[in-house]
Amino acid sequence: MTEKKSRYADRKVSLIVFVGVLLFFYIPLFILIVFSFNGGKNMHWIGFSLKWYKQLFFHSGNLWFAVLNSFIIALTSSICATIIGTLGGIGIYWYNFKWKKYLRIISYLPLIMPEIIIGVSLLILFAGIKWRMSLFTVFVAHTTFNIPYVIMIVMARLEEFDFSIIEAAYDLGAKEFQTLIKVIIPLVSPAIISGLLMSVTLSLDDFIVTFFVSGPGSSTLPLYIYSMINRGVFPIINTLSTVIIAFTVLIAFSSRKIHAYMH
């Protein structure tokens, strides 16, 4: 009886901690959503108003330009990073060569390296080869720091890979390239998709590296929000954040329904 009570107490404590963590994460989001409908500019509630939504959708061209830049960079850099990282991960895991162990360690270094070091080093590189800071340098930087994440995810999937399938493909007459395209890539596709989605998320959120390598006309959403905070313009940020949250929730529920329908 005592053991049963102990298990019940442990579950109760776990539930309380779980609820506390959820509240810690979601209460600030709820406050942000509420104040996006505030008629005033500060954090004192004046009254319900949609004027900030009107300003966001009809009088915020520069902000939407930054949003467009962020999505362009996120999608293009993530696709390139996923292609390079997938091929790199497969190559490192598949082939045996002298410096394989060291190359594997080096590929993981950017994961633990502070972003400010990556940003400064890329800034020095671009300045050294006299590349003008622009949207293209942001693209190169985002592709660079996303590649290690894709390699890590793909290689984690390859750790569970049954290589007897490859031997069977060779026995059936498949060439190396055919084996890569028709056997390996389809089997590691969940990891490839995961790497792509993580790269998109990291690119959309990145501020530090982008701050060092961006130039005139290449401001992304995090940089634009930072400049708005410095000017003290909070209501538009609350409104834009609410729109992004609603869009994210819509995608999450839609993907869940699509997944349920397919199965």
Side-chain angles (χ1 to χ4, degrees):
M1 192 70 177
T2 305
E3 185 178 351
K4 186 176 180 180
K5 287 183 178 179
S6 177
R7 286 202 302 268
Y8 176 76
D10 291 341
R11 291 174 183 173
K12 191 174 181 180
V13 171
S14 299
L15 180 61
I16 292 172
V17 172
F18 176 71
V19 172
V21 171
L22 288 180
L23 291 175
F24 178 79
F25 279 113
Y26 286 103
I27 284 179
L29 293 179
F30 177 75
I31 294 173
L32 181 146
I33 293 171
V34 169
F35 276 92
S36 71
F37 297 99
N38 184 21
K41 287 188 175 181
N42 50 37
M43 295 301 291
H44 297 286
W45 182 262
I46 295 178
F48 181 85
S49 175
L50 293 175
K51 70 176 185 178
W52 301 117
Y53 285 90
K54 180 180 178 181
Q55 182 170 337
L56 173 67
F57 287 109
F58 300 106
H59 304 287
S60 300
N62 290 334
L63 188 149
W64 288 112
F65 182 72
V67 172
L68 179 63
N69 281 346
S70 289
F71 277 97
I72 290 173
I73 293 297
L75 292 175
T76 55
S77 65
S78 298
I79 291 171
C80 287
T82 302
I83 294 172
I84 297 171
T86 299
L87 296 177
I90 293 173
I92 293 172
Y93 195 86
W94 194 352
Y95 294 104
N96 290 317
F97 46 91
K98 185 177 180 180
W99 305 103
K100 176 177 180 176
K101 181 173 68 174
Y102 301 103
L103 183 61
R104 189 167 184 171
I105 294 172
I106 291 172
S107 67
Y108 288 153
L109 281 179
L111 299 175
I112 59 176
M113 193 177 296
E115 284 194 15
I116 191 168
I117 295 178
I118 298 175
V120 171
S121 62
L122 287 171
L123 173 63
I124 294 172
L125 172 65
F126 295 146
I129 60 178
K130 301 187 185 307
W131 271 9
R132 186 176 64 87
M133 300 301 169
S134 63
L135 212 58
F136 180 72
T137 55
V138 177
F139 160 78
V140 173
H142 284 218
T143 302
T144 301
F145 70 69
N146 276 328
I147 289 174
Y149 290 95
V150 179
I151 292 176
M152 178 188 67
I153 294 172
V154 170
M155 291 187 69
R157 176 68 180 91
L158 289 171
E159 293 286 348
E160 305 172 356
F161 195 86
D162 184 6
F163 278 86
S164 63
I165 300 175
I166 296 178
E167 295 175 3
Y170 284 153
D171 291 340
L172 292 172
K175 302 298 183 182
E176 192 171 283
F177 183 75
Q178 291 175 317
T179 304
L180 173 65
I181 298 299
K182 296 184 178 181
V183 179
I184 297 177
I185 289 181
L187 289 175
V188 299
S189 58
I192 296 173
I193 294 172
S194 298
L196 175 65
L197 294 177
M198 175 172 281
S199 297
V200 170
T201 303
L202 291 171
S203 180
L204 287 173
D205 286 344
D206 183 76
F207 171 79
I208 298 176
V209 175
T210 309
F211 180 80
F212 284 99
V213 299
S214 61
S218 59
S219 178
T220 59
L221 183 59
L223 294 181
Y224 192 84
I225 290 177
Y226 176 74
S227 66
M228 291 179 70
I229 291 176
N230 285 338
R231 298 196 302 266
V233 185
F234 286 100
I236 292 294
I237 297 175
N238 295 339
T239 306
L240 177 64
S241 300
T242 302
V243 172
I244 293 174
I245 291 171
F247 182 69
T248 304
V249 171
L250 179 63
I251 291 177
F253 277 101
S254 299
S255 61
R256 185 182 180 89
K257 288 185 177 180
I258 292 171
H259 180 77
Y261 177 78
M262 292 177 65
H263 291 80

